Amino acid sequence: MFHFEVVTKWIDTFLMSNLPEWLALTIEFVLIGILILSAYAVLALILILAERKICAYFQCRLGPNRVGAWGVLQPIADMFKILLKEIITLNRADNRLFRLASFLVIIASLLTFGALPFDKGLHAIDFNVGVFYLLAVSALGVVGIVLAGWASNSKYTMIGAMRSGAQLISYELSCALSLMTIVMLSGTMQLSQIVEQQANMWFIFKGGIPAFIAFVIYLIAGHAETNRGPFDLPEAESELTAGYHTEYSGITFGFFYLAEYLNMFIIAAIATTMFLGAWQPLHIPGLDGFNMVMDYIPPVLWFFAKTFFCVFIALWVRWSFPRLRIDQLLRLEWKILMPIALANIVLMALWILVF
Amino acid sequence: MTNSALFLVVLVTAVFMVVAAMALAMWLSPKSYNALKGEPYECGIETRGPSWGQFRVGYYLIAILFLIFDVEAVLLFPWATIYSSIGLDGLILASFFIFVLLLGLIYAWKKGALEWK
């Protein structure tokens, strides 16, 4: 197996042996920053194109096909267009908070992005309370969204922000409770160790039925966390124009747009890390030949394949179901997902005791 | 390299991205002033009344319920981390804790706090 650890370790020792320590550390930090930033930007472009193409095929359309071959340059053109649009300052709004809200959303999303284990050695932030960190930092985005709706001082944004706040905090509970089953199984909250423990078998197989229930709950709740699909009533176009970001224009709108797409990726990546073994190849105990073949596929590819599979499920759900009403949405969370997630924790506890 | 330093690196990267994108957009974007442009988006009519007013109580109820169950999740995470080593005793203690909170959920349910009327 080729791990990126080889490359990063080599750069580390090379810099450390040739330069004074402070300079080497500075260069490494700058490199990490550039890598994270470029990965974030490239993934955003890929996700936007993928979303538009896949949704077009779901609706029997062609999708973007004018800019570049098969429209591959479309997101880049969109990016330049958004940079060239005027940033409007509002008369009634609290303009400082208004700007700050869009910054908060994207900073929260990038901080979560930095904690994802792409590969051994391609893992920037690895706290020993990693799962906590992911939940805590992604919750910052809610503050940004509610602040955006509040600071715009408009009726549409206000209603959108309130709906979004209620939705996001409700579904955060199911997210936390379903991730807790995996923490019980692994006995650690450090993401790198959680990934290491899945070398023989991914947790979704190791944890049996409770892990599978937790996976499904996490996918539903995580999908609601991204404000998309059947759960997109904070920005329901037909009633609220664009919800909490109605008043945003130019790049400040672009931040919300970018964060929304990357949050979809991040939710899928967390599902991959916790349930599907992050960069660990698919191993079936007993079938050594099969395991050997699987080991030849690079771990980074495994990570992205599994994550994009989860992203595809999210897109599939988005274009297949009609939008829920707010009472249906809250009923789904508080009366169905939450009790199931709580019972699932007890079920997982019993599962660990028995097996 | 400690994780806290890396966290700061990612934070600085995020702030840099925001500042750079904002600066680029400020430099490239056109600027034209029009008093009507800054009005809140509506269907062509001026907004009536303040938007910063009272709001439906249902949202606050949801927020309060969230607080209770999120604290529960925070308290259960350390238990979950060491669960495999404490075994059955841990399960009995935690299921009592979960049961008490479940009673709270059932109470809220019966009282109709989860209905959206």
Side-chain angles (χ1 to χ4, degrees):
Chain A
M1 272 198 281
F2 171 74
H3 282 298
F4 263 91
E5 200 184 19
V6 183
V7 182
T8 43
K9 276 266 163 63
W10 180 78
I11 294 174
D12 185 46
T13 42
F14 177 76
L15 285 176
M16 282 294 181
S17 53
N18 288 323
L19 292 168
E21 199 186 346
W22 63 271
L23 191 63
L25 272 181
T26 315
I27 293 175
E28 276 174 22
F29 285 159
V30 171
L31 274 179
I32 289 169
I34 292 171
L35 255 180
I36 285 180
L37 213 56
S38 43
Y40 193 86
V42 168
L43 272 174
L45 297 179
I46 293 173
L47 281 167
I48 291 170
L49 184 72
E51 149 99 35
R52 295 187 61 179
K53 272 296 192 193
I54 291 171
C55 96
Y57 287 129
F58 274 128
Q59 298 173 335
C60 302
R61 299 185 278 118
L62 282 176
N65 62 351
R66 285 288 180 271
V67 191
W70 307 291
V72 284
L73 297 178
Q74 184 69 46
I76 296 171
D78 286 350
M79 191 184 74
F80 279 112
K81 184 184 167 181
I82 237 167
L83 275 175
L84 291 171
K85 289 289 169 189
E86 183 180 355
I87 305 164
I88 297 169
T89 39
L90 298 169
N91 299 341
R92 301 181 178 209
D94 188 336
N95 272 305
R96 253 179 305 174
L97 284 185
F98 182 67
R99 292 278 165 78
L100 180 71
S102 63
F103 301 163
L104 259 183
V105 169
I106 193 111
I107 287 174
S109 134
L110 201 78
L111 282 177
T112 329
F113 187 75
L116 297 177
F118 292 102
D119 192 358
K120 196 188 270 179
L122 267 189
H123 187 180
I125 307 171
D126 187 23
F127 282 119
N128 53 5
V129 285
V131 181
F132 245 22
Y133 172 82
L134 285 179
L135 288 170
V137 178
S138 57
L140 270 180
V142 186
V143 181
I145 285 172
V146 175
L147 203 60
W150 174 263
S152 308
N153 195 3
S154 152
K155 302 257 163 60
Y156 287 134
T157 61
M158 194 63 196
I159 298 170
M162 279 304 202
R163 280 187 185 179
S164 184
Q167 174 183 336
L168 291 187
I169 61 175
S170 298
Y171 281 85
E172 222 170 80
L173 289 174
S174 308
C175 274
L177 291 176
S178 55
L179 291 184
M180 199 186 290
T181 57
I182 297 305
V183 174
M184 286 165 75
L185 200 60
S186 66
T188 174
M189 282 198 261
Q190 192 163 13
L191 289 181
S192 57
Q193 282 184 28
I194 288 177
V195 177
E196 282 300 332
Q197 287 185 14
Q198 304 183 65
N200 297 325
M201 222 184 189
W202 301 345
F203 275 149
I204 191 168
F205 301 129
K206 208 186 259 179
I209 302 158
F212 185 73
I213 296 173
F215 180 63
V216 173
I217 290 176
Y218 185 78
L219 278 191
I220 297 171
H223 194 65
E225 286 276 288
T226 52
N227 273 336
R228 296 163 59 79
F231 307 106
D232 64 345
L233 71 173
E235 41 191 279
E237 285 93 351
S238 46
E239 31 185 301
L240 293 179
T241 40
Y244 54 85
H245 53 55
T246 304
E247 301 289 341
Y248 283 88
S249 61
I251 192 73
T252 46
F253 168 75
F255 287 147
F256 280 103
Y257 194 63
L258 211 63
E260 186 190 317
Y261 278 94
L262 259 297
N263 281 342
M264 181 173 69
F265 178 83
I266 287 164
I267 291 291
I270 294 173
T272 304
T273 309
M274 302 296 285
F275 297 97
L276 303 179
W279 42 263
Q280 299 282 7
L282 177 64
H283 279 175
I284 300 171
L287 290 178
D288 287 334
F290 177 76
N291 295 347
M292 287 269 284
V293 174
M294 287 294 143
D295 279 345
Y296 276 108
I297 303 173
V300 185
L301 274 189
W302 273 108
F303 182 86
F304 281 106
K306 284 183 274 192
T307 307
F308 275 102
F309 173 70
C310 292
V311 168
F312 180 75
I313 290 179
L315 292 178
W316 194 358
V317 167
R318 176 176 183 184
W319 295 105
S320 301
F321 293 104
R323 182 183 301 141
L324 299 174
R325 277 202 320 265
I326 181 109
D327 61 322
Q328 294 168 331
L329 179 100
L330 293 171
R331 193 178 66 214
L332 173 66
E333 163 61 20
W334 289 96
K335 294 189 177 174
I336 300 171
L337 289 185
M338 252 275 289
I340 292 178
L342 271 177
N344 195 35
I345 286 177
V346 179
L347 189 65
M348 180 55 109
L350 290 173
W351 182 276
I352 293 170
L353 275 187
V354 176
F355 295 98
Chain B
M1 268 192 267
T2 59
N3 281 311
S4 313
L6 281 167
F7 171 73
L8 278 181
V9 169
V10 177
L11 186 64
V12 169
T13 311
V15 173
F16 169 79
M17 181 176 83
V18 166
V19 171
M22 266 319 263
L24 196 64
M26 291 274 206
W27 177 51
L28 289 175
S29 65
K31 284 158 207 71
S32 67
Y33 179 73
N34 182 344
L36 285 178
K37 214 187 249 177
E39 286 298 308
Y41 182 89
E42 290 265 355
C43 37
I45 320 167
E46 278 178 40
T47 312
R48 297 182 67 179
S51 310
W52 290 337
Q54 288 183 326
F55 224 80
R56 214 196 151 102
V57 75
Y59 292 102
Y60 301 100
L61 260 178
I62 293 291
I64 291 167
L65 282 174
F66 160 75
L67 214 60
I68 299 165
F69 285 96
D70 208 39
V71 170
E72 179 204 4
V74 167
L75 288 175
L76 274 179
F77 259 107
W79 166 79
T81 319
I82 55 161
Y83 174 70
S84 41
S85 57
I86 49 177
L88 191 63
D89 293 344
L91 175 60
I92 292 165
L93 289 171
S95 41
F96 181 71
F97 181 59
I98 293 175
F99 178 69
V100 170
L101 276 156
L102 215 59
L103 281 184
L105 184 67
I106 292 166
Y107 177 74
W109 198 323
K110 283 276 177 235
K111 273 282 175 184
L114 306 182
E115 310 296 332
W116 196 261
K117 286 186 286 282

